[in-house]
Amino acid sequence: MRNGAVPDVVIRRLPLYLRTLRQLRREGQQAVSSEELARFLGTTAAQIRRDFSYFGRFGKQGYGYDIETLIRELEAVLNLDRTWDVALVGYGNLGQAIAHYRGFEPNGFRIAAIFAKSPEHIGQVVNGLVVLPETEIERVVRELAIRIGILAVPAEAAQEVADKLIAGGVRALLNYAPVTLHVPPGVVVRDIDPIGALQSMTYYLEPQEPRPSADGTPAPDGLNLAAVAAEAKRQASR
Amino acid sequence: MRNGAVPDVVIRRLPLYLRTLRQLRREGQQAVSSEELARFLGTTAAQIRRDFSYFGRFGKQGYGYDIETLIRELEAVLNLDRTWDVALVGYGNLGQAIAHYRGFEPNGFRIAAIFAKSPEHIGQVVNGLVVLPETEIERVVRELAIRIGILAVPAEAAQEVADKLIAGGVRALLNYAPVTLHVPPGVVVRDIDPIGALQSMTYYLEPQEPRPSADGTPAPDGLNLAAVAAEAKRQASR
């Protein structure tokens, strides 16, 4: 671990800056001011300058930042000037979606091992990788010197899987399971928690009854959803 | 929107408290102290008491909190004492994983409409729902009085889909697309950003070369992953 000089909340914001800068670069832009970046991200120029100030060499206030340089600096700070191998554990619906996601490699991550529990999944070949049994996690992760694990397993299994990954040398866990993992010092965890995110948004919503959709087919009078879909299909296939 | 008396960062933590309290309830526990809750969540009792202090009636310091009461209070604050209908847009690998996820309903959310772009998906029936064309988003969302949308579409499509959902009355967006959405006041967005989470963890890792896995089959000398998987399959099927 680096020493905690830079608050974790700042570190968490850097990837967002990087993503935005890469987008601007794709659009052919070469320089950007903290004000413009702030508008893009719905934050303030002051916060962006404050965040960057932790990494002295970013500072080019007034003139705006050179996008190419800033991208390289951020990649260096985040250790993204290289590709990281990742172990994926869990091969249900979510694990399969993650295994097929095309967004990892362009962003510095490569799924190098996939582990599953169910015999129907073990032995399958995905993107040239053989799906391995979870019993092999510690050994394989150590052999491949993998430092990052993605947990796409049920809540009940998450802690045990995390322990195996950590025993094999993993030091960073991306956790999709709805549980709070307990990990030793030196291991960092980020939770992907869509339920928590939804539950933190309903606070802001007017508590108003939606139309009932008890039986799972929420078609109100006058709107035949099946017909809507069928008609759209016809038009699409013309 | 409620007035901003309670900081959003506090609101974001409440679902985590709720999840933990429900877990303790499942395990048969009836009361919990802020200290115990803090240990569970890797935070401090002071922060938990400070967070709860925004909602005066929670305060039962010293004696510990009655779990059942606290759960009901948190559910009321977060407007979770009811079920919310949700519109899911996007039916690729991720959208399908979300559509089949069993965790929504027990936590107060019910996918009430699913929209897709590709003709191969439109018209399919999923959990009793007909997959509808994205062209129908605004109309259907308004008819069903849906306030919450989940975006599982590609980055290029996300803003347009968000605009359609908002036009139909959606006020809360769970965004899986790697883009910063621009929304009018009164609309809240939470981003699910696994890439950003991964990139914020590599900061803490020692930059050390992992074993090469160029061709996608990262088998180091002496470890035949295919054989490992085959053997495990044999054992499993005994």
Side-chain angles (χ1 to χ4, degrees):
Chain A
M1 283 254 196
R2 308 262 189 103
N3 68 60
V6 184
D8 186 61
V9 61
V10 173
I11 298 302
R12 286 166 175 265
R13 281 194 289 262
L14 298 185
L16 204 54
Y17 298 145
L18 182 58
R19 186 179 81 187
T20 308
L21 291 162
R22 284 172 167 170
Q23 185 179 337
L24 293 174
R25 181 175 60 181
R26 273 196 305 276
E27 295 163 2
Q29 196 166 328
Q30 286 174 5
V32 65
S33 66
S34 44
E35 289 74 13
E36 191 182 356
L37 208 47
R39 272 197 307 280
F40 242 87
L41 292 167
T43 176
T44 68
Q47 167 156 87
I48 289 175
R49 283 194 295 266
R50 202 161 46 240
D51 287 353
F52 287 176
S53 71
Y54 284 99
F55 314 92
R57 58 201 185 293
F58 289 8
K60 276 207 212 162
Q61 292 166 30
Y63 305 92
Y65 303 96
D66 175 71
I67 289 177
E68 193 58 49
T69 309
L70 192 47
I71 287 174
R72 268 199 310 274
E73 298 279 15
L74 285 169
E75 288 175 342
V77 166
L78 294 172
N79 294 325
L80 294 172
D81 42 12
R82 40 145 318 154
T83 295
W84 291 89
D85 280 350
V86 176
L88 168 64
V89 185
Y91 201 63
N93 287 320
L94 175 61
Q96 292 177 34
I98 293 170
H100 292 100
Y101 180 52
R102 295 260 155 279
F104 288 116
E105 304 231 357
N107 287 288
F109 301 92
R110 172 176 51 201
I111 294 180
I114 303 176
F115 301 91
K117 196 180 197 86
S118 127
E120 73 181 285
H121 293 141
I122 294 166
Q124 285 189 26
V125 176
V126 189
N127 306 333
L129 291 177
V130 184
V131 177
L132 302 171
E134 293 185 1
T135 51
E136 296 294 330
I137 288 176
E138 181 176 346
R139 173 175 154 207
V140 172
V141 162
R142 179 178 295 111
E143 283 278 355
L144 301 181
I146 293 175
R147 295 281 169 268
I148 304 171
I150 301 181
L151 272 67
V153 298
E156 322 77 64
Q159 184 64 57
E160 185 188 344
V161 166
D163 295 342
K164 289 180 185 170
L165 286 164
I166 292 166
V170 162
R171 292 295 171 263
L173 292 169
L174 186 67
N175 174 37
Y176 281 85
V179 291
T180 303
L181 296 176
H182 296 99
V183 300
V187 177
V188 55
V189 178
R190 302 286 191 227
D191 292 305
I192 300 292
D193 181 14
I195 295 295
L198 287 168
Q199 292 179 328
S200 74
M201 291 195 289
T202 47
Y203 171 83
Y204 297 101
L205 299 178
E206 311 296 332
Q208 100 185 34
E209 276 313 313
R211 305 282 289 267
S213 59
D215 68 348
T217 54
D221 323 334
L223 181 62
N224 181 332
L225 298 184
V228 167
E231 172 56 22
K233 234 177 139 55
R234 260 194 307 282
Q235 294 186 4
S237 53
R238 275 218 204 91
Chain B
M1 282 254 197
R2 309 261 189 104
N3 67 60
V6 184
D8 186 62
V9 61
V10 173
I11 299 302
R12 286 168 175 266
R13 281 193 289 262
L14 298 185
L16 205 54
Y17 299 144
L18 182 60
R19 186 179 82 187
T20 308
L21 291 162
R22 284 173 167 169
Q23 185 178 336
L24 293 174
R25 180 174 61 181
R26 273 196 303 277
E27 295 164 1
Q29 195 167 329
Q30 285 175 6
V32 65
S33 67
S34 45
E35 288 74 14
E36 190 181 357
L37 208 48
R39 271 196 308 279
F40 242 86
L41 292 167
T43 175
T44 68
Q47 168 156 86
I48 289 174
R49 283 194 295 265
R50 202 162 47 242
D51 287 354
F52 287 176
S53 70
Y54 284 100
F55 316 91
R57 59 199 184 294
F58 290 8
K60 274 205 211 163
Q61 293 166 30
Y63 305 92
Y65 302 97
D66 175 72
I67 290 177
E68 193 57 48
T69 309
L70 192 46
I71 288 174
R72 268 199 310 274
E73 298 279 15
L74 284 170
E75 287 174 343
V77 166
L78 294 172
N79 294 323
L80 294 173
D81 43 10
R82 41 149 310 157
T83 294
W84 291 90
D85 280 350
V86 175
L88 168 64
V89 186
Y91 201 63
N93 286 320
L94 176 61
Q96 291 176 34
I98 293 169
H100 292 100
Y101 180 53
R102 294 260 155 280
F104 289 116
E105 304 231 356
N107 286 289
F109 301 93
R110 174 175 50 200
I111 293 179
I114 302 175
F115 299 92
K117 196 181 196 87
S118 127
E120 73 182 286
H121 293 141
I122 294 167
Q124 284 188 28
V125 176
V126 189
N127 306 333
L129 292 177
V130 183
V131 176
L132 302 171
E134 292 185 2
T135 51
E136 296 294 330
I137 289 175
E138 180 175 348
R139 172 176 155 207
V140 172
V141 162
R142 181 178 295 110
E143 283 276 356
L144 302 181
I146 293 174
R147 296 279 169 270
I148 304 172
I150 300 181
L151 272 67
V153 298
E156 322 77 64
Q159 185 63 57
E160 186 189 344
V161 166
D163 295 342
K164 288 180 184 170
L165 286 164
I166 292 165
V170 161
R171 292 294 171 265
L173 293 170
L174 186 67
N175 175 37
Y176 282 85
V179 291
T180 303
L181 296 176
H182 296 100
V183 300
V187 176
V188 55
V189 178
R190 302 285 192 230
D191 293 304
I192 300 292
D193 181 14
I195 294 294
L198 286 168
Q199 293 179 328
S200 74
M201 289 195 289
T202 47
Y203 171 83
Y204 297 101
L205 298 178
E206 310 298 332
Q208 100 186 32
E209 276 312 312
R211 305 284 289 268
S213 59
D215 68 349
T217 53
D221 322 335
L223 181 62
N224 180 332
L225 298 183
V228 168
E231 171 56 22
K233 235 180 140 52
R234 261 194 306 283
Q235 294 186 5
S237 52
R238 277 218 202 93

